[in-house]
Amino acid sequence: AIQVQDIVDHLSATLTTTVRDHLRDANASDVMHDDGRKAMSASLRSAAERAAFATGIEVIGPIDLRLESKTLAAAHAQAAERSRAEADAQRRVEHLRHAMALAETVGKSTDPAALLAHTSANDQPAALAAILMAGATRSPGRMLFAAAGSVVLQIDPSASFAITTLTPTGDIGPIRSVQRVTMAGDDVILVGAQRGVATVSGTAGSVYLDTESTSRLGFNAVAYLTATDEIWASHSQRGVVRWRRGEGDQPLAVDALVTDATGNVGAQDLVTIDGNTMAFSSGARVFVSGSAHLNEVYTGATDIVGLVPDGPRLHVVHADGSWVQLETGTWRPLTRQATGNAVAIATGLPWAGGVRLLLARRDGGIDCLGVDDALVTRYASRHVGFRGLAASDGYVTAMTADRQRLVFWHTADGREPVKEIHVASIAGSRVAGIGFA
């Protein structure tokens, strides 16, 4: 009597020798192929039949031969991965070549806005990115200024976001806002604070106090009117206060017309239109001030969240997402349109000699809209409910809902932020206002 193992032991040596002889000069790929596998199966069957016959045993089917090569499997996996990588690289090369062609076209164009308008819909996002990138290259080095407590942080995105702490001159209380203005030919950084306005940088160190204010709030914007050599500041309770340059201890009387126009609502979004004119909002209304007068030029249905000057136009953005273009001078509405969901704050992104609108939505995300085209892009992040917004040629910056962090994006790429700065841990106070200069 014999056992199954006896037969296995009897045939193993013969079959092992046959396999070694068959594979000695064979190629793994050839053996693993159907024809190679059939040839090897036939060799093994012939050898098994001979060994079995010598001991009175007959080999019958079925015969199942299974071959495995870990080395060959790894080689096939590497080849497949290499093929995918080569295909991805080719696509990136084609994308880069296309982007470079767009960038070259943008560089030669004297009217990037017109170039975008004549670009196909599929290529418009890449063309916009190329135009924004070209603008950032031409205008590098703008600083972001962030008001936090009693100091201003100067942040340089072009120097790995290096931070310098600046302290305004004078006892003006907590700082609310920061703007760059040009006075007497010099660029000056002014801050709006609880008790007035002060110079942050430069040699002047001027202080402009609001001696009549009892409010705990601060001035939300500052502007300079060249025609009268005056500094104007808007306040959500005080309305508008003004001083002559160099006479910071003598605030000028607020016009009765200003007081009557703004009432208890106050003023915000103070922006300079030209050397003779500035504008501000009060609730749902827009007021335009000159050297000797103030006029209400527009009234909307909901509160205004941003005024964006744009050459011959003033863009007015409402909290409900509606947007109106006013013609400067005549102040007649040129266009009215809806932009989508509710907006918390709006500002302008410099581009092609004009602006695009940046709208921080209340439900999250920052939309970038063209004022003369239908292209809409987005600056995305994990944060929602931004409280402040500022933009330069190179960067878009937003203040988070808790006013503790600043989030930065490259203007040409809004897919994810490039930097977050926890201002509260640096300055010991939350952010109150931001602005590029």
Side-chain angles (χ1 to χ4, degrees), residues 342-347 349 356-369 376-381 383-391 396-400 407-409 414-415 417 434:
V343 177
I345 191 167
T347 191
L349 171 68
R356 299 182 74 80
L357 291 182
L358 289 176
L359 310 179
R361 301 291 185 181
R362 292 191 180 276
D363 58 355
I366 300 172
D367 288 342
C368 179
L369 284 66
V376 179
T377 54
R378 169 160 282 210
Y379 294 91
S381 77
H383 300 285
V384 297
F386 291 112
R387 298 285 296 276
L389 202 56
V396 171
T397 305
M399 180 199 312
T400 57
V407 184
F408 292 79
W409 296 262
R415 291 173 296 179
I434 56 177

Side-chain angles (χ1 to χ4, degrees), residues 51 119 261 298 420:
T119 302
Y298 167 80
E420 287 191 17

Side-chain angles (χ1 to χ4, degrees), residues 70-151:
K70 293 182 179 179
T71 303
L72 187 62
H76 284 164
Q78 291 174 357
E81 181 63 28
R82 185 166 55 252
S83 178
R84 286 194 294 269
E86 290 174 351
D88 289 342
Q90 183 62 30
R91 284 194 292 270
R92 287 195 295 270
V93 168
E94 290 299 325
H95 179 76
L96 180 60
R97 184 180 295 116
H98 187 59
M100 290 175 65
L102 279 173
E104 183 179 0
T105 303
V106 168
K108 294 179 179 179
S109 174
T110 57
D111 190 352
L115 173 65
L116 184 65
H118 290 86
T119 302
S120 66
N122 291 335
D123 288 338
Q124 280 190 348
L128 175 61
I131 294 170
L132 292 173
M133 191 175 299
T137 302
R138 288 192 297 267
S139 302
R142 294 191 68 187
M143 306 285 185
L144 179 83
F145 292 87
S150 59
V151 300

Side-chain angles (χ1 to χ4, degrees), residues 32-53:
M32 299 290 286
H33 194 269
D34 287 344
D35 292 340
R37 189 166 56 249
K38 289 177 182 179
M40 187 171 180
S41 179
S43 296
L44 287 171
R45 178 164 188 159
S46 177
E49 288 176 344
R50 289 194 303 272
F53 181 78

Side-chain angles (χ1 to χ4, degrees), residues 39 64 99 167 191 222 237 249 288 311 319 327 333 340-341 347 370 403 427:
D64 181 21
T167 303
V191 297
V222 183
Q237 293 181 349
D249 57 343
V288 175
E327 182 182 53
N341 298 333
T347 191
R403 297 195 291 115

Side-chain angles (χ1 to χ4, degrees), residues 126-270:
L128 175 61
I131 294 170
L132 292 173
M133 191 175 299
T137 302
R138 288 192 297 267
S139 302
R142 294 191 68 187
M143 306 285 185
L144 179 83
F145 292 87
S150 59
V151 300
V152 173
L153 299 184
Q154 177 182 289
I155 303 172
D156 187 356
S158 64
S160 301
F161 296 91
I163 300 175
T164 303
T165 300
L166 305 173
T167 303
T169 302
D171 182 18
I172 57 174
I175 302 170
R176 169 67 175 81
S177 61
V178 55
Q179 283 87 22
R180 181 181 72 116
V181 300
T182 301
M183 295 192 303
D186 295 327
D187 288 338
V188 178
I189 304 300
L190 290 181
V191 297
Q194 182 184 53
R195 291 187 284 275
V197 174
T199 301
V200 171
S201 61
T203 58
S206 303
V207 177
Y208 299 86
L209 295 176
D210 179 18
T211 54
E212 298 181 10
S213 175
T214 58
S215 173
R216 298 185 61 184
L217 303 177
F219 288 95
N220 52 59
V222 183
Y224 175 68
L225 194 62
T226 306
T228 57
D229 198 21
E230 294 175 353
I231 295 171
W232 289 55
S234 57
H235 194 288
S236 60
Q237 293 181 349
R238 290 275 290 149
V240 176
V241 178
R242 58 196 179 102
W243 301 262
R244 286 193 178 89
R245 184 170 62 89
E247 299 178 6
D249 57 343
Q250 301 177 24
L252 300 175
V254 178
D255 290 337
L257 186 56
V258 175
T259 304
D260 292 341
T262 59
N264 296 323
V265 177
Q268 62 183 12
D269 304 316
L270 182 69

Side-chain angles (χ1 to χ4, degrees), residues 260-335:
D260 292 341
T262 59
N264 296 323
V265 177
Q268 62 183 12
D269 304 316
L270 182 69
V271 293
T272 302
I273 303 300
D274 54 41
N276 296 304
T277 310
M278 60 180 62
F280 63 91
S281 67
S282 179
R285 299 174 292 175
V286 174
F287 296 89
V288 175
S289 59
S291 57
H293 63 278
L294 175 74
N295 292 320
E296 179 180 343
V297 297
Y298 167 80
T299 302
T302 60
D303 284 350
I304 294 168
V305 295
L307 297 181
V308 182
D310 183 18
R313 300 173 293 189
L314 176 65
H315 304 292
V316 182
V317 181
H318 288 275
D320 63 358
S322 60
W323 159 40
V324 178
Q325 293 186 48
L326 301 181
E327 182 182 53
T328 57
T330 65
W331 307 112
R332 63 185 182 88
L334 299 175
T335 62

